[in-house]
Amino acid sequence: MPVEYKEEIWANAGSGTFAPYYMASNRFGTVTQKATVMSRSSVTRAMDMSGRWSFGFGGDIIINGSSATDYERYDSKTARWYSRPLRPSVFHIQQLYGELRYRSVFLTAGLKEVGSALLNDALSSGDLTWSANARPIPGVRIGFIDFVDIPLTNGWVQINGNFFYGKPTDNGWLKQHYNYYNAFITTGRWANYKRCYFRTNPQMPLSVTVGMQAAAQFSGYQRYYINGNIEFEEKVPLRFKDFFDMMFPQKSDTFVSGNHLGSWDMTARYSLKSGDTIKAYFQWPWEDGSGIGKLNGFDGLWGIEYKSAKKCLLNGVVLEYIDFTNQSGPLHWAPDDFPGTTITGEATGADTYYNNYFYNGYTNYGMSQGTPMLKSTLYNTDGYLRYTDTRVRGFHLAVTGSLDPSLDYRAMISYRKSWGDPFIPRVNTVHSTSFMAEADYRLQSAPQWSLKAQIAMDRGDMYGNTFGVGISVSYRGSFNLK
C-alpha cells in the first residue's frame, strides 16, 4: 500500500486588493489574497486499478496567514455603513476522504478536490459547470472510474458518468461577507452534481465525446433585505423527496424545485501518427429550458488544445473563446410570475448565468464553482453575494513546455469585456487583461524537491491593476503500509 505525502510552503505578495486573477484561479480556492504565506501538508493513497477491489484515502491540511480585505456592511441601528477587514481562516482542512472501487465503479465520501472531467485544468480557463476554481464540498460521489464499454456495441461506444450530493460549509463565510443592506443571503443549502458522457472508440484516430453536466442547489434559508431592513424570510425545508427531485427535477407550484444549471459538452480528439493529439471542444451553458434547447445563440466556451506525446519545448497549447452575451435574449417575461395577467405570451430570456432568485451566486467560499472567467462574488467588496458581470466576452491562451529535463514553464494570457448583467447592465463596459508566467524547477540529484515561481498581473477596471509574485518549495515522498 504505497502512500504518497507532500509538504509545500507557498508565499505570494503584490499590489492590488486580491491576488492576480491567474494566481488565484483554478487552484481550488487556496490562494485569494494579495499577500499569503501558506503551509500545505497532504497524504494520499491512490486506488489500485489492477484488481476487482481497491480503496484509497487522502488528507490535506492548510495553515496560512494572509492579508485582509475590507468589506462593506450596513448597520441598521445607526443607519451607517462601515468596513470590516476579512481574511481566510488560519487553518482549514482542504481534503479528507476515503474511496472504494469495485471493478469500474467507485464510491468516494468526504472532502476531495475534483476538477473538470473533460478540460485540462492546468491550461484551460475553466469548466463551465464543475471547475477546479473553488474549494471542494464535502459529500458522497458515485460513478464510473473511467469510460466503460456499452454492451452490444463491441467497444465502439462507451459511457462515463457520476453523481454527487454534498453540503457546503460556507455559511459562516456568507454571513461574514454579506452587507445586510440589499438583495439577500441564503444559507443552509445543499449541492448536487451529475453528468453523463458518451464516447466513441478511443483506439481510433478520431474519437468524439458528447454529453451533459448538471448541477443544482436545493433547500436553504433566505433573508431578503431592502435598505437594511428584512423584507421577508423564506425557508425551504430539506425533505428526502428533494434528493430524488435533483435526479429527476419536479415542478412545484410555480418553479422547478431547486436551482439548476449546467452545460452541453462535446470534444473531438484526433491522434497523429507521432502520438501528439489535437482536441477541439465546446461547452454550451444552460440555466433553464431555453438554454437546454440552445436558444442562447453562440454562448459557450469554444476551445482547441494541442498536446505533445513527449516532453519538449512546447508540450501543450490551449486557445479558448468564451461568449456569455446572448443569454437567450435581453428580455424575460413569464406569465406565471404575475398571477392575473392577461398577457399570455412568454419570453424566456435574460438567463443571468450563475445567479438565481433564491440562491446566492454559484460559488463556494466566494469562488466560482464554474468558470472563473465570470468574476466571482469574492471580489464584491460591497458585500453583494451575486454575480455582477455575467454578460462577458473574451479569449484565453495558455502554453506549457520544458526548457530542459529539470525546468518546465507555463504561461497564460486572457482578455475579457463585460456589459454587466441582463437585469443590472453596466452604464459603461469594463474589461480586464490578465497574464501569468510560471517556472517549475526540480533538482536532478533530488527530484523529490521542487521549486516553483510565478509572476502575474491584471490590467483594467474589472479586477483593477494588480501585480503579484509567488514562490513555493515542495517535497514529495512515499512510504509503504504493510
Side-chain angles (χ1 to χ4, degrees):
M1 293 172 54
V3 178
E4 297 182 353
Y5 62 90
K6 179 181 179 182
E7 176 63 34
E8 179 183 13
I9 303 296
W10 162 272
N12 70 278
S15 62
T17 305
F18 297 94
Y21 167 74
Y22 275 128
M23 192 171 286
S25 62
N26 284 327
R27 55 191 306 166
F28 293 103
T30 55
V31 176
T32 59
Q33 305 305 107
K34 69 175 181 180
T36 301
V37 176
M38 175 177 64
S39 171
R40 186 171 185 178
S41 306
S42 62
V43 294
T44 306
R45 199 273 183 178
M47 291 188 293
D48 183 0
M49 296 299 159
S50 60
R52 290 188 177 185
W53 290 91
S54 67
F55 70 93
F57 56 82
D60 191 352
I61 296 175
I62 289 180
I63 303 174
N64 71 54
S66 61
S67 59
T69 301
D70 288 336
Y71 285 83
E72 297 180 13
R73 177 178 286 188
Y74 183 76
D75 186 352
S76 59
K77 295 181 180 179
T78 61
R80 292 184 178 180
W81 287 88
Y82 64 100
S83 296
R84 305 174 66 250
L86 300 175
R87 55 170 54 88
S89 59
V90 174
F91 168 87
H92 77 266
I93 299 175
Q94 180 73 5
Q95 299 185 86
L96 184 62
Y97 65 89
E99 51 192 355
L100 183 67
R101 179 189 66 84
Y102 176 69
R103 295 184 180 268
S104 59
V105 177
F106 76 93
L107 173 67
T108 300
L111 196 64
K112 183 180 181 180
E113 294 179 346
V114 177
S116 174
L118 290 184
L119 306 186
N120 186 337
D121 287 329
L123 296 180
S124 171
S125 63
D127 194 290
L128 298 191
T129 304
W130 195 273
S131 71
N133 192 55
R135 281 172 57 174
I137 297 173
V140 176
R141 187 182 300 266
I142 187 171
F144 294 117
I145 286 284
D146 201 349
F147 283 87
V148 297
D149 293 343
I150 295 179
L152 306 180
T153 64
N154 198 26
W156 281 96
V157 183
Q158 300 177 324
I159 187 172
N160 173 268
N162 69 51
F163 204 88
F164 170 81
Y165 283 113
K167 184 70 171 68
T169 57
D170 62 348
N171 285 345
W173 190 97
L174 294 169
K175 293 175 182 178
Q176 287 289 321
H177 289 74
Y178 180 51
N179 59 35
Y180 293 90
Y181 181 77
N182 63 349
F184 58 84
I185 176 174
T186 301
T187 55
R189 73 192 187 280
W190 282 72
N192 170 249
Y193 170 82
K194 54 269 187 189
R195 72 164 184 264
C196 183
Y197 289 144
F198 297 93
R199 183 176 71 179
T200 63
N201 189 345
Q203 304 302 320
M204 301 299 293
L206 177 64
S207 178
V208 176
T209 302
V210 63
M212 175 188 277
Q213 296 183 88
Q217 299 168 309
F218 62 105
S219 186
Y221 173 68
Q222 182 195 73
R223 282 183 294 171
Y224 203 105
Y225 288 76
I226 295 181
N227 298 330
N229 299 312
I230 298 177
E231 185 70 10
F232 61 84
E233 300 176 77
E234 182 179 356
K235 182 177 181 180
V236 177
L238 180 65
R239 305 164 302 175
F240 179 79
K241 181 177 178 294
D242 295 326
F243 292 90
F244 179 82
D245 288 347
M246 295 305 105
M247 292 187 287
F248 308 100
Q250 303 294 313
K251 189 173 183 179
S252 61
D253 294 338
T254 306
F255 301 103
V256 171
S257 177
N259 171 34
H260 298 262
L261 60 91
S263 60
W264 286 106
D265 301 345
M266 179 177 176
T267 69
R269 185 225 66 208
Y270 186 78
S271 297
L272 305 176
K273 293 182 178 179
S274 61
D276 299 353
T277 59
I278 298 175
K279 182 171 70 174
Y281 52 90
F282 66 71
Q283 290 189 312
W284 294 341
W286 56 264
E287 290 274 346
D288 52 29
S290 61
I292 292 177
K294 200 62 182 98
L295 300 180
N296 55 1
F298 202 69
D299 282 4
L301 171 70
W302 309 79
I304 186 168
E305 178 182 5
Y306 163 78
K307 186 176 181 180
S308 174
K310 57 183 179 180
K311 295 187 67 173
C312 57
L313 184 61
L314 190 63
N315 293 335
V317 180
V318 166
L319 176 62
E320 295 177 339
Y321 171 76
I322 190 168
D323 197 330
F324 281 174
T325 58
N326 185 286
Q327 304 212 21
S328 302
L331 301 176
H332 179 81
W333 171 263
D336 288 342
D337 293 347
F338 303 92
T341 182
T342 59
I343 303 175
T344 58
E346 185 171 357
T348 55
D351 286 338
T352 181
Y353 296 135
Y354 295 171
N355 283 327
N356 182 259
Y357 80 100
F358 186 84
Y359 295 94
N360 310 130
Y362 182 56
T363 64
N364 190 36
Y365 287 91
M367 295 295 280
S368 172
Q369 291 180 245
T371 176
M373 289 287 275
L374 299 190
K375 188 177 71 172
S376 301
T377 60
L378 172 86
Y379 300 97
N380 298 340
T381 56
D382 60 357
Y384 187 59
L385 297 180
R386 290 162 61 82
Y387 284 79
T388 58
D389 293 278
T390 64
R391 295 187 65 228
V392 171
R393 182 181 295 159
F395 76 88
H396 161 91
L397 173 66
V399 296
T400 185
S402 302
L403 300 179
D404 67 44
S406 299
L407 182 61
D408 298 335
Y409 74 89
R410 184 170 61 119
M412 298 182 176
I413 187 171
S414 68
Y415 172 79
R416 277 163 292 169
K417 184 177 182 179
S418 171
W419 287 261
D421 182 79
F423 292 100
I424 309 178
R426 287 187 176 271
V427 176
N428 299 306
T429 59
V430 294
H431 66 94
S432 179
T433 300
S434 301
F435 171 78
M436 187 275 289
E438 173 187 277
D440 189 353
Y441 179 73
R442 295 170 309 283
L443 297 174
Q444 285 187 315
S445 58
Q448 63 270 31
W449 287 95
S450 176
L451 175 64
K452 184 181 294 185
Q454 283 186 353
I455 59 171
M457 60 184 294
D458 302 315
R459 289 294 180 269
D461 44 9
M462 184 179 294
Y463 293 93
N465 296 327
T466 69
F467 178 81
V469 176
I471 187 170
S472 72
V473 178
S474 62
Y475 180 88
R476 295 177 180 269
S478 65
F479 58 89
N480 292 322
L481 295 177
K482 297 184 180 180

